[in-house]
Amino acid sequence: DDHDPKSATGHPSQKASKQKWTSGLCSCCTSPGGCRLCCKACICPCMVYAENVERLSPSECACGGQYAAPCLGYCVCCCLPLVPATACCSCRVRAAVRKRYNLRSSCCLGLEDFLVACMCPRCVLLQTHRQISTAVVWHATPWDAS
């Protein structure tokens, strides 16, 4: 069994070994979400970003539990001339998901999260979305269903 032990909250226990992401970074059209989610991320990435943030609690991510504010914030970052502006947004969410699900990192101090968010921003949004979606399906609780 390659799933780590869960605590009473459904999140990985602190002593569990680090796990792999449920899908690869470049697995853009895989389930859950498939090609529809991939198209959504290409056309309107702020919506996928907001869905990711909405599934996190405020203690995990500054805007967790909301939808409109992160979506608008991501749109504003897209308009900034700085390339890594949206990468900073995605990096924070990716780091929160990595911590929640006890996922491995090949670099230290979040450098991997920032670099992949700069180089493959849509892929990061999609991988993060699939990770959260898969975990909710596997470890659904009454409050995750809403």
Side-chain angles (χ1 to χ4, degrees):
D1 185 19
D2 59 338
H3 299 295
D4 58 327
K6 301 291 173 183
S7 67
T9 62
H11 299 300
S13 64
Q14 295 294 354
K15 296 179 183 176
S17 63
K18 298 285 185 182
Q19 301 298 308
K20 292 181 181 179
W21 289 85
T22 55
S23 64
L25 184 63
C26 296
S27 303
C28 296
C29 291
T30 60
S31 292
C35 290
R36 177 179 275 182
L37 180 63
C38 186
C39 290
K40 186 178 188 180
C42 289
I43 296 167
C44 196
C46 63
M47 291 177 68
V48 178
Y49 174 75
E51 289 171 11
N52 291 343
V53 170
E54 187 176 43
R55 294 177 174 185
L56 297 171
S57 70
S59 65
E60 293 175 302
C61 187
C63 298
Q66 302 172 12
Y67 184 89
C71 187
L72 181 61
Y74 195 89
C75 287
V76 169
C77 287
C78 285
C79 296
L80 294 176
L82 303 172
V83 172
T86 55
C88 290
C89 297
S90 295
C91 178
R92 289 179 48 192
V93 174
R94 183 177 166 90
V97 169
R98 182 184 298 284
K99 183 177 178 182
R100 175 190 269 193
Y101 299 111
N102 199 27
L103 301 170
R104 290 183 200 149
S105 175
S106 58
C107 292
C108 60
L109 303 174
L111 182 60
E112 176 186 359
D113 294 329
F114 181 73
L115 291 176
V116 296
C118 284
M119 299 303 200
C120 309
R122 303 304 192 271
C123 296
V124 166
L125 290 174
L126 293 166
Q127 184 185 40
T128 304
H129 194 282
R130 286 190 308 271
Q131 183 69 38
I132 297 169
S133 297
T134 303
V136 169
V137 169
W138 285 347
H139 308 291
T141 58
W143 51 87
D144 284 333
S146 60

